[in-house]
Amino acid sequence: MSTTGTTADGVLSTRFGSIRGVLFDIDDTLVDLEYAMTTALREVSEHLLPGLDQTGWEHFGRIFTHETTHYYDRYLAGELTFNDQRLLRGRAALGHFGVDLADGEEAHGWLSAYGRLQPTYVRAFEDVLPLLDLLDAAGIPYGAVSNNVHDYQRAKLDGAGLERVRRLVGTDTVGVAKPEPAIYLEGVRLLGTAPEETLYVGDNRMLDADGSTAAGLIGVWLNRVGEPAPDFTGHKVTSLSQLLG
């Protein structure tokens, strides 16, 4: 990874223009949450789905991570607790394979086991630390803005070895979630930069790239999986290594 140019006063010249700060999404941008979720899900559910083959487990994981996100949206809207949405997603995934996760001790045990195991599998992507090293060397401040509460995400970052991402905005910080402009602008305020000189990068095209751009930042979609998007005309990279060079 190489930068396209650096000046002495903390301005970095990039393919997206001159920047003075960088904000990141966290889940599936800085840390591989999907890996952590699917690995923990299989570990806590194998006794309920004996004999399920690899294709089945991949489908199980997709239901939980991608096909039931409307429950997470309801959590963000204040309609469900965090554990409620997690349990509903688990029930939907198990129910697809004919397993009813009953209320009471069974559901509590499954939820507790998943909540205990999932953080142990959270890890930073390989392209994260090299980028942070370059930003530190260039004197460019950075932080994270997430659609989850501050303390939960703080523990996640620290557990993934990303303690140096000190500036963090959660949904409880300003009382709104992405794509509301206020949540991105709070991140900008913490950096001490201007929106038009602040890069925002995340894996969700609408919440991260489009939302931050609408708030006046330089939004970049991190499309790690190569999702087709023929109508997307904004900034896009497939790796964090492409941000600065």
Side-chain angles (χ1 to χ4, degrees):
M1 187 190 301
S2 62
T3 59
T4 55
T6 308
T7 64
D9 61 351
V11 180
L12 196 60
S13 177
T14 76
R15 58 191 286 195
F16 311 111
S18 296
I19 64 167
R20 292 181 180 271
V22 182
L23 291 168
F24 299 97
D25 171 56
I26 296 176
D27 296 330
D28 293 316
T29 297
L30 294 179
V31 303
D32 193 348
L33 182 63
E34 184 162 351
Y35 168 81
M37 293 168 73
T38 55
T39 304
L41 281 169
R42 180 166 182 170
E43 190 164 336
V44 302
S45 305
E46 281 183 316
H47 69 290
L48 298 171
L49 297 169
L52 191 64
D53 61 16
Q54 182 61 29
T55 299
W57 283 115
E58 290 173 358
H59 189 193
F60 180 85
R62 281 196 303 274
I63 294 172
F64 188 91
T65 59
H66 294 290
E67 298 176 18
T68 56
T69 54
H70 56 284
Y71 289 125
Y72 193 82
D73 292 339
R74 290 180 62 191
Y75 156 67
L76 291 176
E79 298 173 9
L80 296 171
T81 68
F82 185 72
N83 279 339
D84 284 343
Q85 64 84 28
R86 182 176 271 179
L87 183 58
L88 286 168
R89 295 168 78 174
R91 279 186 170 140
L94 289 166
H96 180 83
F97 294 93
V99 174
D100 179 20
L101 189 62
D103 286 327
E105 185 175 341
E106 183 180 38
H108 177 74
W110 184 93
L111 189 62
S112 297
Y114 177 76
R116 182 178 66 255
L117 284 170
Q118 190 247 61
T120 69
Y121 291 113
V122 174
R123 60 190 185 186
F125 287 102
E126 292 183 356
D127 55 7
V128 174
L129 293 180
L131 174 60
L132 299 187
D133 287 342
L134 284 173
L135 294 175
D136 283 336
I140 301 296
Y142 52 83
V145 175
S146 173
N147 263 7
N148 207 327
V149 294
H150 177 281
D151 290 354
Y152 183 82
Q153 295 298 72
R154 179 74 269 163
K156 184 183 291 178
L157 287 172
D158 294 350
L162 297 175
E163 298 91 342
R164 68 164 106 173
V165 183
R166 296 185 300 274
R167 302 169 184 88
L168 171 61
V169 179
T171 52
D172 55 338
T173 305
V174 290
V176 297
K178 296 182 287 187
E180 289 293 326
I183 194 168
Y184 311 100
L185 295 177
E186 176 62 10
V188 170
R189 187 190 71 79
L190 292 179
L191 295 185
T193 57
E196 65 272 14
E197 296 178 321
T198 305
L199 209 63
Y200 187 93
V201 57
D203 70 296
N204 188 299
R205 177 170 58 89
M206 295 180 62
L207 296 182
D208 296 323
D210 294 344
S212 63
T213 298
L217 288 72
I218 305 170
V220 180
W221 179 26
L222 176 61
N223 186 12
R224 290 189 183 276
V225 298
E227 176 187 340
D231 298 330
F232 181 71
T233 59
H235 301 309
K236 180 174 65 173
V237 295
T238 58
S239 167
L240 293 179
S241 64
Q242 298 170 353
L243 281 178
L244 304 185

